[in-house]
Amino acid sequence: MKQNEYTKEALLLLKKLIATPSISRDENEAANIMEAAIKDYGLKCSRKGNNVWSIDPDFDEKKPTLLLNAHIDTVKPVESWTRDPFSPTVEGDIFYGLGSNDCGGGLVALLQVFRHFIVNKVPREYNLIYLASCEEEVSGKNGICIALPELPKIDVAIVGEPTGMQPAIAEKGLMVLDLIAHGKSGHAARNEGVNAIYEALDDLVWIRNHKFKKVSPFLGETKMTITVVNAGTQHNVIPDKLTALIDVRTNEFYRNEYVYEYISKHCKSEIKAHSFRLHSSHIDPEHPLVKKCASMGMKPFGSPTLSDQALMDFPSFKLGPGESSRSHSADEFIKISEIRNAIKQYIELLSAE
């Protein structure tokens, strides 16, 4: 097949996906579409939950394995859409629809690339696996984390998130913490009790001002941000409890567990972590795939947004058509030319020198 034929097939599949609502945790029909498309292309297909994948039929355990991954789920459409988010619409080079940019474009482009190498039996020194995963937008426990154990050992992954086809070789992690300060209630007029707000003040100021020493050249600082604070019931009652949410964005130099322990040691208040599982991810800038990207004129960068990379315990980077700024926005779109160009660049990237 020629480049234009791959693009045409990708767009036909993307239209089906957009016309089929696939909000996180409700992706069954979208998974059915992906499963049918993979089989229609003459490829073997496996599935667990709403995760769908295809493994190189000539898989050789002696060769390294490259995973091509993108997600099938979307966020809920915001109220400010001026179009039907589930009605795929093409106007010139613009393709509108919920999930078109995040990350339908990468999803369908990577499948055509996998198809190109497998069906045409293009000689390679590595194995290929294609995985369409679910629940990415909510980091769900039935998403990629239940699919990865079913796959052979992965050496490196390309994740088709929208990056303007520039390699995001580092990605910030996420950890949400509860801060809980305890006091004792009393009457404000008599200055009774222990004010939980005052008990928390030093901790809140420390969190605001603290700077972690290790700064990433791609991701910058590890940052802590207090985003929600709740305390008190009425003006004349000393509050006996304060709770706050802390949004922590880690760079590749800090594991979430370490940051949690570090904050706990420096705070008087009680600190609880919602989860440690969403770590920062990165790949060595000297990795052959990253160097190949650079030789093709691409510029590596660090991404502040989270993806399924956080759940991968092997090197990975994001590279996909579209722009991150369009994600989760009203009237989301991707350009047809971006999908066409992505297929071409992926094939060049994965082909022998």
Side-chain angles (χ1 to χ4, degrees):
M1 290 176 64
K2 295 181 179 180
Q3 174 98 19
N4 286 339
E5 293 176 288
Y6 284 128
T7 303
K8 182 179 178 181
E9 292 285 337
L11 295 175
L12 287 172
L13 178 57
L14 186 55
K15 285 182 179 179
K16 291 180 182 179
L17 290 168
I18 289 174
T20 306
S22 55
I23 310 300
S24 300
R25 298 194 176 95
D26 190 19
E27 310 104 329
N28 185 66
E29 291 304 314
N32 290 343
I33 291 171
M34 293 302 300
E35 187 175 8
I38 290 171
K39 290 178 178 178
D40 285 347
Y41 295 155
L43 303 168
K44 293 182 179 180
C45 185
S46 299
R47 178 170 177 172
K48 186 168 186 178
N50 291 324
N51 302 282
V52 180
W53 64 88
S54 183
I55 298 176
D56 189 339
D58 297 318
F59 189 92
D60 183 348
E61 291 184 354
K62 297 178 182 178
K63 294 181 179 180
T65 298
L66 169 61
L67 174 67
L68 304 177
N69 167 243
H71 64 89
I72 64 174
D73 61 313
T74 73
V75 295
K76 294 179 180 179
V78 295
E79 292 184 1
S80 51
W81 273 80
T82 63
R83 307 164 175 271
D84 180 354
F86 303 110
S87 178
T89 306
V90 176
E91 295 181 5
D93 190 37
I94 306 298
F95 191 120
Y96 291 98
L98 180 65
S100 58
N101 182 78
D102 184 17
C103 65
L107 180 75
V108 298
L110 283 173
L111 179 55
Q112 297 306 318
V113 171
F114 179 81
R115 178 186 185 190
H116 165 79
F117 282 98
I118 301 303
V119 173
N120 295 327
K121 294 188 177 294
V122 178
R124 285 168 287 111
E125 295 301 318
Y126 57 90
N127 303 304
L128 271 179
I129 298 176
Y130 174 82
L131 169 62
S133 50
C134 67
E135 295 192 8
E136 186 272 347
E137 296 291 1
V138 293
S139 299
K141 293 185 177 181
N142 290 316
I144 196 171
C145 58
I146 69 167
L148 289 177
E150 305 294 321
L151 305 180
K153 178 181 176 292
I154 307 296
D155 292 279
V156 65
I158 296 175
V159 180
E161 292 283 341
T163 66
M165 284 306 287
Q166 304 298 324
I169 67 171
E171 175 185 274
K172 280 200 168 181
L174 168 65
M175 179 172 57
V176 180
L177 301 177
D178 291 319
L179 179 147
I180 306 166
H182 299 280
K184 183 179 180 181
S185 62
H187 199 299
R190 292 195 292 269
N191 198 28
E192 293 175 341
V194 177
N195 194 319
I197 296 174
Y198 298 160
E199 292 293 296
L201 275 180
D202 288 344
D203 292 340
L204 298 178
V205 170
W206 180 82
I207 290 166
R208 182 192 66 182
N209 295 337
H210 184 73
K211 300 287 185 181
F212 288 88
K213 292 181 180 180
K214 296 178 182 178
V215 179
S216 166
F218 289 101
L219 298 175
E221 298 177 318
T222 287
K223 288 191 173 183
M224 303 182 288
T225 307
I226 301 160
T227 53
V228 178
V229 177
N230 289 295
T233 56
Q234 59 191 64
H235 77 90
N236 58 353
V237 177
I238 298 295
D240 61 359
K241 185 178 181 181
L242 176 144
T243 62
L245 282 178
I246 308 167
D247 180 281
V248 181
R249 303 284 171 159
T250 48
N251 64 26
E252 71 270 30
F253 297 125
Y254 294 98
R255 297 282 292 178
N256 287 338
E257 292 88 344
Y258 171 84
V259 174
Y260 166 75
E261 294 292 342
Y262 184 82
I263 294 171
S264 296
K265 288 178 182 178
H266 283 81
C267 287
K268 178 182 176 181
S269 303
E270 182 182 1
I271 304 294
K272 294 182 178 181
H274 290 201
S275 169
F276 296 121
R277 61 199 289 262
L278 302 177
H279 290 287
S280 175
S281 58
H282 70 285
I283 188 171
D284 189 335
E286 295 301 310
H287 190 282
L289 279 175
V290 178
K291 293 178 74 173
K292 179 75 175 288
C293 285
S295 73
M296 292 169 60
M298 303 179 195
K299 295 182 179 180
F301 72 102
S303 172
T305 57
L306 200 68
S307 75
D308 273 341
Q309 280 184 278
L311 301 171
M312 297 178 182
D313 61 358
F314 42 81
S316 60
F317 64 101
K318 292 189 292 198
L319 181 70
E323 299 292 342
S324 181
S325 57
R326 300 179 200 150
S327 301
H328 304 182
S329 64
D331 298 337
E332 181 183 350
F333 70 90
I334 193 166
K335 294 180 180 179
I336 295 172
S337 57
E338 290 173 331
I339 295 176
R340 182 185 302 112
N341 181 61
I343 294 172
K344 178 181 178 181
Q345 286 189 290
Y346 283 139
I347 291 174
E348 181 180 351
L349 174 63
L350 301 183
S351 297
E353 294 287 355

